[in-house]
Amino acid sequence: MVLTDTADKIKSMEIRGAGRIARAAAIALAEHAESLDLTDITIFSGEMKRAADLMAGTRPTAVSLPNAVNIVMASIAQATTVPGAKMAIGSKAREFVQSSNQAVERIGKIGARHIRDGDVILTHCNSEAALACLIEAKRSGRDFSVFATEVRPRNQGLLTIRVLNEAGIKTRFIVDSAVRSFINDIDLVITGADAVTVNGAVVNKIGTSQVALAAHEARTNFVVAAETYKFAPRTILGELIEIEERPAGEVLPDDIAKSLPYVTVRNPVFDVTPAEYVDLIITETGAIPPQMAYIIIRDYLGWDISEFGKEFDIDHHD
Ligand code: RI2
């Protein structure tokens, strides 16, 4: 079954990356809707709500996931028939995937303009959006090189160096803890994001905030490549982004852990980089300072401070 299959693949990180999981969830919901042999719109909507909750609950941190699920699910709110709902959800999911791919491409074009000949760029983890900037810069003839981190414990850096190698970009592969040793050789840091909060803080792969701290100390520009659907609307309501903590076995093999009864492992897989360490967020609508996060949430995701009123039952008087 597509729905549970996709959910399992997202949980196990066979499908990973904030943009990829969002697109996979959108498609899985559309295929699930198509597969339902139901005629009653209320029962159909209830089943789709269950499916949406399942998809949104697979991983807690990347906001692209619930944003994609909400965008797709909003398409059936007004549907009065099952065929109508199936059509609406299918076209919304395809539209989301297409606009997501276009967003990454556009970010690449904007981000590439920040890369100059001779630059040394550092990237952390494996971000399609960040890589799009590097690949586009290479495609447009820019001569630069990259430092890529290993990204313990899941080693997403291996994915990154393969992509960079394929693009013919000269790359040095380093362990995560070597970042500060090389930071003075770096002209620009580019990472992706799993979520951007209303105050411009960036939630990304564990280690990103240490990279940002080192960059800040060295006065090295730190740029984040993030599509608008990675901005977190509910942070307006004071909701915090949950940081996923994955199994201990990803860090320390179970047999070793068993032999060390006084040792426990902590494995948070994301961290928060405060806005003051972020110079620019490159979105598909343009490069913005992190302090403009609210504008993105309001103008591109359709969320306003007035959502407060709805959620907390406060009357707004003009
Ligand atoms: P794109 C990834 O999370 C990384 O934290 C990466 O920076 C971020 O998603 C954004 O990726 P994980 O799924 O959407 O590896 O830019 O835990 O590809």
Side-chain angles (χ1 to χ4, degrees):
M1 201 178 162
V2 183
L3 190 76
T4 47
D5 187 46
T6 303
D8 289 345
K9 284 182 174 154
I10 293 175
K11 274 187 203 149
S12 68
M13 292 178 67
E14 192 180 319
I15 301 174
R16 55 144 298 281
R20 285 194 182 92
I21 62 177
R23 292 193 292 272
I27 293 297
L29 285 176
E31 291 185 3
H32 182 63
E34 203 48 59
S35 74
L36 291 177
D37 191 12
L38 295 169
T39 48
D40 183 309
I41 185 68
T42 311
I43 300 174
F44 174 87
S45 299
E47 171 51 30
M48 286 310 299
K49 167 88 177 67
R50 193 194 64 77
D53 290 346
L54 174 78
M55 291 314 306
T58 48
R59 289 188 76 192
T61 303
V63 167
S64 49
L65 182 61
N67 278 347
V69 167
N70 291 339
I71 288 168
V72 169
M73 288 298 288
S75 70
I76 59 168
Q78 310 300 332
T80 50
T81 65
V82 171
K86 285 184 176 181
M87 206 150 44
I89 212 164
S91 76
K92 197 41 132 187
R94 281 190 298 277
E95 191 189 300
F96 176 78
V97 170
Q98 198 189 5
S99 67
S100 164
N101 287 325
Q102 279 168 353
V104 173
E105 205 178 300
R106 224 176 127 67
I107 286 170
K109 294 215 165 95
I110 299 170
R113 297 203 177 124
H114 290 267
I115 299 171
R116 296 157 306 178
D117 276 334
D119 271 355
V120 181
I121 315 288
L122 170 72
T123 192
H124 181 61
C125 201
N126 177 257
S127 156
E128 270 191 307
L131 282 169
C133 304
L134 300 171
I135 292 166
E136 178 57 25
K138 175 73 183 175
R139 203 197 55 78
S140 53
R142 229 63 51 75
D143 180 23
F144 63 98
S145 66
V146 175
F147 274 78
T149 50
E150 185 182 26
V151 196
R152 276 274 292 155
R154 296 291 296 236
N155 302 320
Q156 286 97 326
L158 289 176
L159 302 171
T160 295
I161 59 173
R162 284 203 187 99
V163 174
L164 292 169
N165 185 66
E166 214 163 281
I169 298 170
K170 193 176 148 217
T171 301
R172 277 147 290 191
F173 187 47
I174 57 171
V175 296
D176 303 331
S177 43
V179 166
R180 194 158 181 260
S181 299
F182 290 111
I183 199 71
N184 288 321
D185 300 339
I186 308 292
D187 298 293
L188 177 68
V189 179
I190 307 182
T191 73
D194 291 83
V196 180
T197 66
V198 69
N199 65 351
V202 172
V203 182
N204 193 48
K205 182 57 52 197
I206 192 81
T208 303
S209 68
Q210 285 181 180
V211 174
L213 182 61
H216 185 73
E217 187 204 33
R219 307 282 185 271
T220 301
N221 279 337
F222 185 94
V223 163
V224 172
E227 304 90 297
T228 49
Y229 55 78
K230 290 177 182 164
F231 286 65
R234 296 186 65 82
T235 55
I236 290 181
L237 304 175
E239 199 167 288
L240 299 174
I241 304 284
E242 183 185 336
I243 301 292
E244 177 182 7
E245 185 143 355
R246 294 189 61 85
E250 290 186 351
V251 176
L252 192 66
D254 290 341
D255 53 334
I256 299 180
K258 269 195 203 115
S259 70
L260 305 168
Y262 291 102
V263 177
T264 49
V265 171
R266 298 294 308 270
N267 186 20
V269 298
F270 299 101
D271 64 20
V272 182
T273 299
E276 54 268 36
Y277 292 173
V278 178
D279 292 287
L280 216 52
I281 301 179
I282 301 171
T283 76
E284 71 275 22
T285 68
I288 58 160
Q291 291 75 13
M292 266 177 69
Y294 170 64
I295 309 288
I296 297 289
I297 292 172
R298 189 190 65 192
D299 294 356
Y300 293 92
L301 297 172
W303 268 69
D304 200 337
I305 291 286
S306 66
E307 296 291 334
F308 252 123
K310 290 187 208 153
E311 191 96 355
F312 297 108
D313 209 18
I314 300 166
D315 277 339
H316 279 275
H317 301 286
D318 293 329

